[in-house]
Amino acid sequence: SATNTESNNSPFAVSNSGTFTSTLTTVGDITLSHAGQYKCTASLITAGIQHSNTIDFDVKLPAPLITVTNDTVTDDSTATLVCLSSISDISVSFVYQWTGPDNVATSEETDGTLFISTMGVDDAGQYMCTSTASYTGSEVNTIYVMDSMNTASVHLAIIHSSVTPNSIIRLDISPYNEFQLTCIITVYPLDTPSNLISATFQW
């Protein structure tokens, strides 16, 4: 098939079956300015026939980058997640919205930072950041630009310890001549894949 970036009088190729084909292609990388509705008008001059058709071309924003200060914290600690989107080819700003493990979304903010002041069991899990573009100019058909999202997880580690028995009355009487210390680390959410967890113990 033939290729042309012009919107008028595109060259075409003819197949053996009598099908006429014209192809419109972009040159270089896809940008947000390519998003929009495209219309092709075909005319068969010898028969005096003209027909047009439209197609929507949606462009998805680049996935935002999420950084986490520490993806595993202890209870009552703080956690900070930062979501950032950037596009170099066009003037655009972004608003961000976070959705936490409870599936409750925050309000849209121009600052993509999410700060958790006191980590608890209910705060552990996956966080999703949705990035939406905001434009100052009219060079982009905004209804054909799709939001983008990315996810990151924050885990909560709680350390439990116990002594059995919890008191020793006489060292010369069984079974009080021995005791057991136990240390357990529990990581939330409980369905965290084991390959993401590494633990060591030292007494």
Side-chain angles (χ1 to χ4, degrees):
S1 62
T3 301
N4 190 16
T5 57
E6 300 295 328
S7 59
N8 296 318
N9 301 322
S10 297
F12 56 85
V14 183
S15 68
N16 293 331
S17 61
T19 300
F20 298 80
T21 304
S22 176
T23 304
L24 178 68
T25 25
T26 62
V27 177
D29 296 333
I30 296 295
T31 67
L32 294 184
S33 59
H34 290 103
Q37 189 176 79
Y38 290 77
K39 180 179 180 180
C40 174
T41 300
S43 301
L44 190 58
I45 300 174
T46 55
I49 299 174
Q50 187 178 77
H51 182 71
S52 62
N53 195 10
T54 59
I55 185 171
D56 295 337
F57 184 68
D58 298 321
V59 175
K60 188 174 184 179
L61 293 170
L65 174 66
I66 298 179
T67 56
V68 184
T69 52
N70 193 347
D71 59 3
T72 302
V73 298
T74 57
D75 55 329
D76 295 331
S77 298
T78 63
T80 303
L81 298 89
V82 179
C83 184
L84 180 64
S85 286
S86 63
I87 296 178
S88 58
D89 63 313
I90 198 168
S91 177
V92 60
S93 57
F94 294 90
V95 292
Y96 304 95
Q97 186 175 48
W98 286 96
T99 304
D102 55 2
N103 292 321
V104 176
T106 63
S107 57
E108 291 185 339
E109 302 287 348
T110 55
D111 183 359
T113 301
L114 178 67
F115 180 72
I116 305 172
S117 59
T118 305
M119 278 291 296
V121 173
D122 294 336
D123 299 311
Q126 188 178 80
Y127 288 80
M128 181 176 67
C129 173
T130 302
S131 172
T132 303
S134 176
Y135 312 91
T136 55
S138 58
E139 67 271 22
V140 176
N141 200 334
T142 59
I143 63 174
Y144 297 102
V145 177
M146 303 171 61
D147 295 346
S148 189
M149 58 194 64
N150 206 348
T151 59
S153 295
V154 179
H155 303 101
L156 174 67
I158 297 180
I159 300 176
H160 311 268
S161 59
S162 64
V163 179
T164 305
N166 56 12
S167 63
I168 299 177
I169 299 176
R170 291 182 58 182
L171 295 179
D172 59 338
I173 301 177
S174 179
Y176 300 112
N177 56 2
E178 65 178 36
F179 67 94
Q180 179 175 293
L181 301 177
T182 303
C183 185
I184 301 172
I185 299 179
T186 304
V187 178
Y188 297 89
L190 296 177
D191 58 356
T192 300
S194 58
N195 62 323
L196 298 180
I197 304 172
S198 178
T200 60
F201 297 89
Q202 183 177 7
W203 290 96

